[in-house]
Amino acid sequence: MTPQTTLPIDALLVGPVALLPDGRSRSGIRKTPTADALWLSPTGLQGDAQADLRVHGGVEKAVHHYPREHYASWASASQQSELLTHAGAFGENISTTGWDESAVCIGDVIQLGDAHVQVSQGRQPCWKLDAHFGVPGMAREMQARGCTGWYYRVLEPGWVRAGAMATRVERPHPEWPLSRLIALLFSRDARFMPEWEQAAALPVLAERWRATFRKRVDAGRVEDWEPRLRAPAPDI
């Protein structure tokens, strides 16, 4: 079936930085829906925030889009089922039904309301997802499933609101669905070296992902994922 080129934004979500349930870590992952029209600038939606700007936010990760259809499969994996009763459980800014990682390609240009954005990368889940849900291994499971959602860079700022349309207006790399890139990033199989090299040369892919693929090719091995996936030991 041909993926939809236009679909409605089911929910627009933002949130402040707050403590996670572990009582020691701060994150902007808890988002709540708003009916207001929000200004989308090159660094994100007004009223939205991220805790660690070294790895979250910025121009290549200005907006996070997560498919609502993934929620059903997560319900059996989480003890925090109440988080899954509405959009925003995964820290997303945009929630829709109709597009997933196989239906979106890197470099796709999307009109979101009055703004224009471009798919820049997938998500690399971290241990804060575990803390948010209270489920150890949640980030690893998201990585294994490949249901990470994706990020946008902003090409043209504008107003966005729930109920507005998300419309794909350009697809420069139909051979690179995001699901392909996500599978390559989360594979440790060196047989994918030629494809890692191809991915490193994609001009529309976020530089951090391109650098990761380049380092793999140069080093002949995959980087250590544990610092991202394992929560740091508490201070004593």
Side-chain angles (χ1 to χ4, degrees), residues 109-171:
V109 176
I110 309 294
Q111 182 173 351
L112 287 179
D114 295 333
H116 282 78
V117 298
Q118 185 174 45
V119 179
S120 56
Q121 64 172 79
R123 177 178 181 171
Q124 291 172 272
C126 75
W127 59 269
K128 287 187 177 181
L129 192 66
D130 299 16
H132 175 56
F133 276 90
V135 179
M138 194 83 169
R140 293 179 191 274
E141 182 66 18
M142 176 180 276
Q143 179 171 296
R145 293 186 186 195
C147 54
T148 70
W150 55 91
Y151 287 100
Y152 296 119
R153 63 174 66 92
V154 178
L155 302 181
E156 295 180 19
W159 293 97
V160 184
R161 72 182 308 152
M165 303 306 291
T167 302
R168 191 184 79 226
V169 296
E170 186 178 343
R171 172 160 285 178

Side-chain angles (χ1 to χ4, degrees), residues 40-126:
L40 176 57
S41 76
T43 55
L45 288 160
Q46 67 181 90
D48 199 38
Q50 297 82 33
D52 188 350
L53 295 178
R54 298 171 304 165
V55 292
H56 298 291
V59 295
E60 295 285 37
K61 293 189 284 186
V63 184
H64 185 238
H65 189 151
Y66 198 76
R68 186 64 189 271
E69 49 264 57
H70 288 333
Y71 274 54
S73 64
W74 280 118
S76 61
S78 173
Q79 300 166 13
Q80 296 286 355
S81 58
E82 73 276 6
L83 290 177
L84 298 168
T85 60
H86 57 79
F90 297 93
E92 66 267 34
N93 302 116
I94 302 290
S95 177
T96 61
T97 303
W99 290 347
D100 62 13
E101 294 80 1
S102 65
V104 173
C105 295
I106 196 69
D108 279 2
V109 176
I110 309 294
Q111 182 173 351
L112 287 179
D114 295 333
H116 282 78
V117 298
Q118 185 174 45
V119 179
S120 56
Q121 64 172 79
R123 177 178 181 171
Q124 291 172 272
C126 75

